[in-house]
Amino acid sequence: MGRALLAEAGPSCSGTPAHAFPRLLPAPVSVTHRQGQAGAAMAAALIWISLLVGLLEGLGGTEAQQTTLHPLVGRVFVHTLDHESFLQRPEHVFSVSAPIPITYHAHLQGHPDLPRWLRYTQRSPYQPGFLYGTATPEDRGHQIIEVTAYNRDSFNTTQQMLVLLIGDPEGPLLPYQAEFLVRSHDVEEVLPSTPASRFLTALGGLWEPAELQLVNITSALDRGGRVPLPIEGRKEGVYIKVGSASPFSTCLKMVVSPDSHARCAQGQPPLLSCYDTLAPHFRVDWCNVSLVDKSVPEPADEAPAPGDGILEHDLFFCPPTEATARDFLTDALVTLLVPLLVALLLTLLLAYVMCCRREGRLKRDLATSDIQMVHHRTIRGNTEELRQMASSREVPRPLSTLPMFNVHTGERLPPQVDSAQVPLILDQH
């Protein structure tokens, strides 16, 4: 395509003149055009290399990280989803102080949602996420949680596998459990280990001597609480359940006494015989404190014994033994005939009023005065006389009053033409 036919001067090898066999020679190409082609080829090569490197990195990153955790039955479990554990960046990028928004999605392997004992929370994409909950004896065993992190800036995803080996706790049981409503914190503010340890240390002043352990942490919104107004200092609230092997202190027993409940019903603070060691770091609603004592086993419910299906004799329930026969013909006739009879009477009354109570012209004329009748007849007679005089006059009518009068030519239709058959608009010539 890029060649031209040029005749080379001089004889050919066989002695034939040069003009008889034209020779194909390349057309002259500029240096700039060659450099542009070389640059385009190099750019295409770089693009393909970058795509290949990205594909290899993506294939290498598909293998999810695996972490093994050991939750305990009856103990609170908290796992922090930290941004640094999911980010895959070079080392020199970590020096940048700009935060990266990351959101998480966690679910049980093979299921669309988390198990019933595990919850997930994250306040904003710039803060870490938390998996927390308390396993029950029915959840004992092996569970795999799949966590997918979404980078909202680069739209990259990273997957991590959490292998949960749920087992029984060591040490004594915790039959004495107390639940407190802390209104000064949100759930993600007490999930880290530092605030939780501070709460247990402060509660030790009210419940001693006891080795306290966290049993469960639940957001107040999950217990029917309302979302607070966006005002500074307003929190959602969190329920913290603490267990111990030691009995409740006298101070805690007084808080849940009937006298304290009566004071709370009247809007007064409950009875508290000891110093509130939780204040001012934790604002506890002492009217929502509940104590559970599991030291005494509850009696097992008796299994219901199947009966013969016949109710026993009861004075308040005496069903009739037999029902008497009833004839519903009379009720049916009354239900159908009475409305029909009423409709017939109303129809006859309406017909009488419309047809039989008409006044007529004679009664109308008799009720009208003679002067009014003479006046009416005079007007009608004068009107008829004027109409006859107008129809018998021989003076020609004005042109403007004719049904078809052309203002430009002055033409008018002949008198014998029926004006009712003449079109409204004539052709203008």
Side-chain angles (χ1 to χ4, degrees):
M1 296 295 295
R3 296 180 179 274
L5 292 174
L6 299 178
E8 184 180 6
S12 61
C13 298
S14 59
T16 310
H19 64 273
F21 298 96
R23 189 176 181 181
L24 289 176
L25 295 178
V29 182
S30 62
V31 179
T32 307
H33 183 64
R34 292 179 179 177
Q35 292 178 355
Q37 290 181 348
M42 185 178 297
L46 291 177
I47 292 175
W48 281 107
I49 292 174
S50 61
L51 291 176
L52 182 59
V53 171
L55 180 61
L56 293 177
E57 291 180 355
L59 293 176
T62 54
E63 184 178 358
Q65 303 176 5
Q66 184 171 339
T67 305
T68 303
L69 303 174
H70 299 273
L72 300 178
V73 175
R75 304 291 189 273
V76 66
F77 165 77
V78 179
H79 178 69
T80 304
L81 303 176
D82 195 3
H83 290 5
E84 302 299 334
S85 60
F86 286 89
L87 290 176
Q88 295 181 358
R89 304 181 299 183
E91 295 182 358
H92 66 277
V93 183
F94 284 101
S95 60
V96 181
S97 59
I100 298 178
I102 296 179
T103 56
Y104 304 93
H105 176 71
H107 63 92
L108 183 64
Q109 188 178 34
H111 297 77
D113 205 352
L114 290 171
R116 59 181 181 178
W117 66 274
L118 198 59
R119 296 184 180 91
Y120 164 75
T121 183
Q122 185 182 15
R123 180 61 57 176
S124 69
Y126 295 95
Q127 298 179 1
F130 294 95
L131 290 173
Y132 67 99
T134 302
T136 60
E138 291 79 9
D139 301 319
R140 188 186 295 109
H142 177 268
Q143 294 180 355
I144 298 178
I145 306 298
E146 296 181 357
V147 181
T148 305
Y150 300 90
N151 190 330
R152 295 303 178 181
D153 283 347
S154 61
F155 302 101
N156 292 334
T157 59
T158 306
Q159 194 174 15
Q160 190 178 48
M161 310 286 290
L162 302 180
V163 181
L164 304 183
L165 303 179
I166 305 174
D168 294 327
E170 299 180 356
L173 300 178
L174 306 177
Y176 301 96
Q177 298 179 3
E179 189 175 51
F180 305 89
L181 174 58
V182 181
R183 296 190 177 275
S184 59
H185 288 70
D186 293 332
V187 62
E188 64 272 2
E189 296 178 352
V190 298
L191 289 177
S193 58
T194 302
S197 302
R198 185 183 304 171
F199 181 83
L200 294 179
T201 303
L203 184 61
L206 301 175
W207 191 353
E208 56 181 359
E211 182 180 355
L212 306 179
Q213 295 187 17
L214 289 176
V215 175
N216 193 11
I217 297 177
T218 308
S219 175
L221 300 181
D222 297 336
R223 301 279 292 271
R226 301 180 61 181
V227 178
L229 296 174
I231 302 176
E232 185 179 1
R234 297 291 184 90
K235 301 292 183 177
E236 297 174 356
V238 57
Y239 284 91
I240 302 179
K241 182 179 287 188
V242 180
S244 176
S246 303
F248 303 114
S249 62
T250 306
C251 181
L252 294 179
K253 292 180 180 179
M254 185 176 295
V255 170
V256 297
S257 62
D259 296 337
S260 295
H261 290 299
R263 291 173 61 90
C264 290
Q266 298 176 0
Q268 301 178 2
L271 299 176
L272 192 63
S273 61
C274 53
Y275 177 72
D276 186 4
T277 57
L278 294 172
H281 300 288
F282 299 94
R283 183 166 55 88
V284 178
D285 187 359
W286 292 105
C287 291
N288 284 280
V289 177
S290 60
L291 304 180
V292 179
D293 186 2
K294 297 183 179 180
S295 59
V296 179
E298 298 180 359
D301 297 335
E302 297 181 359
D308 53 1
I310 301 176
L311 296 177
E312 298 179 359
H313 178 69
D314 190 0
L315 298 177
F316 300 98
F317 180 73
C318 297
T321 56
E322 58 184 17
T324 58
R326 292 183 57 185
D327 186 9
F328 295 97
L329 179 61
T330 305
D331 298 339
L333 293 178
V334 171
T335 304
L336 297 177
L337 295 181
V338 171
L340 292 177
L341 182 60
V342 173
L344 180 60
L345 293 177
L346 292 178
T347 304
L348 294 177
L349 180 61
L350 182 61
Y352 172 74
V353 172
M354 297 293 295
C355 301
C356 302
R357 296 289 296 176
R358 300 186 64 182
E359 296 180 353
R361 294 182 60 184
L362 179 60
K363 186 175 181 180
R364 183 193 64 186
D365 295 342
L366 294 177
T368 306
S369 61
D370 295 339
I371 298 176
Q372 186 176 358
M373 293 296 296
V374 171
H375 187 208
H376 178 67
R377 292 193 186 97
T378 303
I379 294 175
R380 292 194 59 182
N382 295 337
T383 303
E384 293 294 335
E385 184 178 359
L386 290 175
R387 288 179 178 177
Q388 292 178 3
M389 293 173 60
S391 61
S392 61
R393 65 182 178 179
E394 297 180 358
V395 179
R397 296 174 58 184
L399 296 179
S400 60
T401 60
L402 293 178
M404 288 299 174
F405 172 67
N406 195 335
V407 296
H408 299 286
T409 62
E411 296 180 356
R412 60 178 178 177
L413 296 177
Q416 65 273 13
V417 177
D418 188 4
S419 61
Q421 299 179 0
V422 177
L424 295 178
I425 300 177
L426 297 178
D427 296 337
Q428 302 292 334
H429 299 288

